[in-house]
Structure formats: C-alpha cells, structure tokens
Amino acid sequence: IGLTQSTAQSIEDLTQNALQELSQIDNPDELEQWRVRILGRRGELTGILRGLAQLDLEERRQVGALGNQAKAALEEGLEKRGRDISEARLAQVADLERIDVTLPGRPVATGRLHPTTQVLREITDAFVAMGFSIVEGPEVEWDHYNFEMLNIPQGHPARDMWNTLWVDYVNEEGQRPMLLRTHTSPMQARVMESVQPPVRVIVPGKCYRYEATDATHEWHFYQVEGLAVDEGITFADLKGTLYEFARRLFGTERKVRFRCDYFPFVEPGVDMSIDCRGSGWIEIMGAGMVHPRVLAGVGYDPEKYTGFAFGLGPERIAMLKYGIDDIRHFYSNDLRFLRQF
C-alpha cells in the first residue's frame, strides 16, 4: 500500500508540475523539449509507470488507471498549448503584415545597368546602325584561333604582346592548346570560316590576360571586335566607319586622329585617338586592314577580297566619357560608384 500511494503521489505531483510548466512555454522548440522530457519513451511519466511491475495485480490496475488519466491530461494540455502558440504566432504575423494606408510608401531601390553594360550597348547600337551584325564567341578558346589563325604562329615574338592564361589541358602531343581568350579577335577567323563575303560583324565579349592590376589595367575586361570584308573595301572605308562611330559616341564635333601602329593580323595597322579638350589626344582603339595571310587562312582569295578590323575596350570608352580615373572601380562592386550611372 505504501508503494502504491507513493507511486500515485508521484504521478499527481508530476502532472501538476508539468502542466504548470507547460503554461509558461511560448515557442514550438521548448514545447517539443517538454514533450520528450515528460511523455517521451524515456520521459518522466514513462519512468514512473515502469515501476508498476513491482506492484501486485490489483494495485497495478489502480495505479495504471491513474497513470493513463495523467497521460491523457498531459497530452490534452500539450495539444491545447500547441494550438495557442500557433494562433499567437499567426496573430503576430498578421499584425506585422497589416497595411497602414496612411503611412508614406517605402522607397523601392531601382536597379541600374552596370556602366560597362551601358557603354557596351551604346557601342553596339552605333555599329548596328551602320549595318553591322552582333555575334559572340567562346571565352575558353583554342590557340589555333586565338593566335595561329591571326598570323601569330608558335614562337612568334608578337605573342609577348598578350599575357596569356593557359588552361591546364595537355593534348596528345604534350602541348597546351587551350586558353582564356586574350582578345575577341579569334571570332574574325571563326566568322570567316563559316560565311562567305560580304561580312560585317562586331563581337562584344570578355577577355582575360595574366597581368598586374592597376588604375589602367585589369586582368579581365570587355572588348568589342569589328570586322568588315568584301570586294573593294579600302582604308578610306575604315576611317569613315570609325570616324562616324566617334561622332555617334562622343558628339558630332569630336575630332579623330589615326597613327601607324602594329598588330600581327592587320597590315597596315593604326591606332585611333580622339581629341579630349584639355587632355590632348587619347587613344581609344586599334585597327587596320585585314592581313592577306588571315584572309587566305580562312579560304578567302586576298586578291579578290579586302577588309578592315578594329578592337576597342568599353571600359576605356566609359573612363573617357564619364571621367573615371581608375578601371578597378568597374569591378569593385562599390554601390557608391555604380549608383552614379
């Protein structure tokens, strides 16, 4: 009888204390911890009921009934408390989501195009208006297209002009023929291989070079390559096209200047500068007449066809147009800089 009374008292005390503790719980995590500690397989109530084996049959029946009542009361309390917590949370969310129409509207941040993207679109729009089409090419390129098809064979000293990032891929001859393109010029060869003249394309895209970063150099940057091939194209066509481009981008009063320069895939080669008032002449692109070897390499007859090519950097154009003094700003992701455009 003493063991029966002790067990019954333990059940009653546990029930009262557990229900009181339950009333103080206000979040689902604590509620689950309470359930496991009180009603779980190794919970406190289960531990007390395991002691029924020490009682005789009649006492076991009485205490067992009391344990079942306690378990039912605790489970009912658990369920009710769970509903109360859920309802309180829903009410809290409803309060947070309630709209006060008398409050001023919250400002919504407006997205902007990156300055490089803006200038890239201006450049492509200018050339599209002059009859050029836009094509794109792979950023991971073959040595064959990046150099060899552009009159820059293996061992040619002109390769030193491009600090190349080579892909860690070795072919059967033990060579590394794959790289991150150093310019968008490989698309000259790819386009001419696939179509017959007349050709008028521009190729915007990203390029990569293994070089130190400073105010005027980045290891990755955008470039726009241009190519025109047809019968009877002359250097005058090149000058007229690029002069019109400068007028469209920098204004109708802008002056331009051409000077001799060297690029392996054009002959003759030039650089084009614009007159920046107060700063003198500033180079904005390289250009020239497509080298006869490049034309012959893609199957064009250099005696019949001629063409011109040019390449420019949108970041450099943006720096001139907006007075930006450090190219690293373009890729620093500094909102104070980007919000100005």
Side-chain angles (χ1 to χ4, degrees):
I1 296 175
L3 184 58
T4 302
Q5 292 177 344
S6 175
T7 304
Q9 186 63 42
S10 298
I11 293 173
E12 184 176 349
D13 292 344
L14 173 64
T15 304
Q16 291 177 356
N17 293 335
L19 289 174
Q20 183 177 1
E21 182 182 349
L22 183 64
S23 65
Q24 305 300 318
I25 294 175
D26 59 3
N27 71 75
D29 291 336
E30 292 182 6
L31 193 65
E32 177 61 16
Q33 293 172 9
W34 181 93
R35 184 195 69 78
V36 172
R37 181 164 53 82
I38 302 298
L39 297 172
R41 293 178 60 185
R42 298 183 180 180
E44 295 179 18
L45 181 61
T46 304
I48 294 174
L49 295 179
R50 284 197 182 117
L52 296 180
Q54 303 176 23
L55 304 177
D56 59 33
L57 182 60
E58 185 59 31
E59 291 174 335
R60 195 184 307 162
R61 185 179 294 113
Q62 295 175 4
V63 177
L66 183 61
N68 289 335
Q69 293 174 7
K71 185 177 181 181
L74 292 171
E75 288 177 343
E76 182 181 353
L78 175 66
E79 183 180 355
K80 182 177 183 302
R81 191 59 187 163
R83 287 198 305 270
D84 292 344
I85 292 174
S86 297
E87 291 172 0
R89 290 207 159 195
L90 288 173
Q92 185 179 15
V93 170
D95 287 339
L96 291 173
E97 294 182 348
R98 186 176 294 120
I99 298 175
D100 185 351
V101 295
T102 64
L103 291 175
R106 295 185 179 91
V108 178
T110 304
R112 297 175 174 84
L113 290 175
H114 192 278
T116 301
T117 304
Q118 293 183 34
V119 172
L120 198 60
R121 291 189 176 187
E122 291 181 35
I123 292 171
T124 54
D125 288 346
F127 284 110
V128 167
M130 289 186 276
F132 286 76
S133 301
I134 300 174
V135 297
E136 295 181 326
E139 294 180 13
V140 178
E141 187 57 276
W142 296 105
D143 177 282
H144 175 73
Y145 288 105
N146 198 82
F147 290 124
E148 294 179 11
M149 293 291 285
L150 298 176
N151 197 32
I152 315 174
Q154 289 282 351
H156 196 288
R159 290 198 178 207
D160 294 339
M161 297 169 61
W162 291 274
N163 301 312
T164 308
L165 288 164
W166 296 92
V167 176
D168 191 14
Y169 163 74
V170 180
N171 62 14
E172 296 176 354
E173 287 113 25
Q175 300 172 333
R176 289 184 175 174
M178 192 178 292
L179 49 85
L180 296 181
R181 66 181 178 188
T182 58
H183 46 187
T184 49
S185 302
M187 284 305 294
Q188 286 188 31
R190 288 182 175 272
V191 169
M192 288 190 288
E193 277 185 339
S194 60
V195 299
Q196 289 297 311
V199 175
R200 286 178 181 80
V201 296
I202 55 171
V203 187
K206 209 168 197 180
C207 305
Y208 306 86
R209 293 182 187 173
Y210 183 63
E211 58 184 29
T213 299
D214 57 31
T216 57
H217 296 85
E218 259 287 4
W219 71 272
H220 61 106
F221 54 92
Y222 277 87
Q223 190 179 72
V224 178
E225 180 81 10
L227 174 70
V229 179
D230 202 352
E231 296 183 42
I233 287 183
T234 67
F235 196 83
D237 297 312
L238 165 64
K239 292 178 65 177
T241 300
L242 299 187
Y243 179 54
E244 177 62 21
F245 163 75
R247 287 164 52 90
R248 288 174 182 265
L249 215 65
F250 295 101
T252 57
E253 302 301 320
R254 186 70 63 176
K255 296 180 180 179
V256 300
R257 181 183 70 180
F258 294 89
R259 295 189 303 174
C260 293
D261 205 340
Y262 170 73
F263 304 99
F265 34 88
V266 293
E267 180 60 39
V270 296
D271 69 58
M272 187 181 91
S273 303
I274 61 171
D275 180 19
C276 293
R277 301 173 185 86
S279 301
W281 294 96
I282 297 181
E283 179 187 346
I284 64 170
M285 73 171 76
M289 301 301 292
V290 179
H291 200 291
R293 289 181 185 172
V294 175
L295 295 173
V298 297
Y300 288 5
D301 182 358
E303 298 295 327
K304 180 179 180 181
Y305 296 111
T306 55
F308 62 80
F310 56 86
L312 65 152
E315 290 93 350
R316 187 171 182 81
I317 298 295
M319 292 173 73
L320 294 173
K321 191 171 183 180
Y322 300 117
I324 301 167
D325 58 3
D326 194 327
I327 195 173
R328 291 171 292 191
H329 290 319
F330 289 102
Y331 302 107
S332 64
N333 294 324
D334 189 337
L335 292 178
R336 294 172 300 176
F337 171 76
L338 297 175
R339 283 173 178 154
Q340 298 178 49
F341 301 94

